[in-house]
Amino acid sequence: MELNLKRPLVVFDLESTGLNITEDRIIELSYVKVYPDGKEESNTYRFNPGKVIPQQAIDVHHITNEDLEHEPTFKERAHDIARVFEGSDIAGFNSNHFDIPLLVQELNKAGVNFDPAQHKFIDVQTIYHKREKRDLEAACLFYCGHPMENHHAAADDAKTTLEVLKAQLDHYANCDEPLINDVDFLSQYSTHNRNVDLAGRIILNENKQPVFNFGKHKGKTVEDVFTKLDFGYYDWMMKSDFAENTKQVITKLYIQFKKQ
């Protein structure tokens, strides 16, 4: 089943120096961009992270420090990368939890403003886990009927993710709870909770109020913490090791609640 799109959809995958969103760096980004008329374009970028890639990461993606020695930094290509995603919705595999937060973090570090609110996000892994609870290799075999090759090569992962997404639409087209071929539906369906920031540090409660989803104030509204319970909590968060997107979100909330 081909995708029913109102605007372009960028299906992408990252390889990185590790899994820490605030400390690790992107070393490879591959994407397939699908347009509403069905046209596709794809590309792969590699970046010198400016730090040594740990061996445990190399063992996963097989990209060595020597491979990236003469590549540009992410900052040098940040505006090119931002243009790929501009005006598009975004899909990936485990992207809501890792790829998108890391991408936004890197863009912010490079001085490029990337507003997540301007995009819909589809996490193919979440759809898969809600239905079958397996990884990308198993998803490819289950939905597409063939084994996946070159797992953890970003270009192959991105292409396989797109193939799996299309096959998921076909597979669940006629079941009791069909998947709807619509980016708004798929974005909502592939979100586990109602995140306010990308990392899920702040979520919406049943009353649609932003609440903390971590630490000593977990479950408490951001408004109550900032204005009644812990006046120094905002300053502590701004000085701590939170993703830039999380800091941007809490700053907007802090200003909003302080004005009331």
Side-chain angles (χ1 to χ4, degrees), residues 12-19 24-30 44-47 49 53 57-63 68 74 98-99 102-103 106 136 148 150-158:
F12 83 112
D13 186 74
L14 301 178
E15 303 298 343
S16 64
T17 59
L19 301 177
D24 283 304
R25 310 304 299 266
I26 297 171
I27 59 174
E28 185 174 77
L29 183 152
S30 291
T44 295
Y45 297 92
R46 281 189 169 185
F47 313 99
I53 306 172
I58 295 174
D59 291 341
V60 173
H61 49 58
H62 307 296
I63 301 173
L68 305 175
F74 186 92
F98 179 72
D99 299 77
L102 181 58
L103 175 65
E106 286 272 40
L136 181 57
M148 180 183 174
N150 298 322
H151 188 30
H152 290 302
D156 293 288
D157 285 3

Side-chain angles (χ1 to χ4, degrees), residues 13-220:
D13 186 74
L14 301 178
E15 303 298 343
S16 64
T17 59
L19 301 177
N20 188 314
I21 291 170
T22 60
E23 295 181 3
D24 283 304
R25 310 304 299 266
I26 297 171
I27 59 174
E28 185 174 77
L29 183 152
S30 291
Y31 71 89
V32 180
K33 189 170 186 176
V34 188
Y35 291 86
D37 63 2
K39 184 184 74 171
E40 295 183 9
E41 65 180 51
S42 61
N43 205 347
T44 295
Y45 297 92
R46 281 189 169 185
F47 313 99
N48 186 328
K51 63 185 294 185
V52 175
I53 306 172
Q55 186 59 48
Q56 58 265 37
I58 295 174
D59 291 341
V60 173
H61 49 58
H62 307 296
I63 301 173
T64 67
N65 294 284
E66 293 73 21
D67 292 335
L68 305 175
E69 185 176 355
H70 301 295
E71 297 291 345
T73 65
F74 186 92
K75 184 175 183 178
E76 290 174 302
R77 302 301 302 271
H79 287 283
D80 294 334
I81 298 300
R83 280 191 288 270
V84 170
F85 293 89
E86 185 178 358
S88 301
D89 296 312
I90 303 172
F93 197 87
N94 193 35
S95 50
N96 284 359
H97 297 94
F98 179 72
D99 299 77
I100 291 169
L102 181 58
L103 175 65
V104 173
Q105 178 78 356
E106 286 272 40
L107 288 170
N108 287 335
K109 282 182 179 178
V112 177
N113 183 35
F114 183 89
D115 184 2
Q118 301 303 311
H119 308 268
K120 297 289 185 180
F121 300 112
I122 300 173
D123 193 328
V124 174
Q125 185 193 62
T126 302
I127 296 174
Y128 182 44
H129 284 181
K130 283 186 174 183
R131 298 285 180 157
E132 308 298 339
K133 303 187 186 301
R134 300 289 178 90
D135 62 12
L136 181 57
E137 290 179 279
C140 182
L141 184 62
F142 181 87
Y143 289 109
C144 305
H146 62 79
M148 180 183 174
E149 297 180 0
N150 298 322
H151 188 30
H152 290 302
D156 293 288
D157 285 3
K159 291 177 182 178
T160 300
T161 300
L162 175 59
E163 184 180 3
V164 170
L165 175 58
K166 291 179 179 180
Q168 284 176 328
L169 291 169
D170 285 325
H171 187 83
Y172 299 113
N174 298 310
C175 67
D176 291 338
E177 297 181 15
L179 287 180
I180 299 172
N181 190 354
D182 176 80
V183 168
D184 287 348
F185 171 85
L186 294 171
S187 175
Q188 182 177 5
Y189 188 83
S190 60
T191 301
H192 276 299
N193 53 39
R194 304 173 71 182
N195 289 3
V196 179
D197 68 321
L198 292 172
R201 297 289 190 172
I202 311 296
I203 63 174
L204 295 178
N205 64 14
E206 63 275 7
N207 297 319
K208 297 184 178 180
Q209 299 169 301
V211 300
F212 287 104
N213 194 35
F214 72 97
K216 64 180 181 180
H217 293 305
K218 184 174 182 178
K220 298 175 184 176

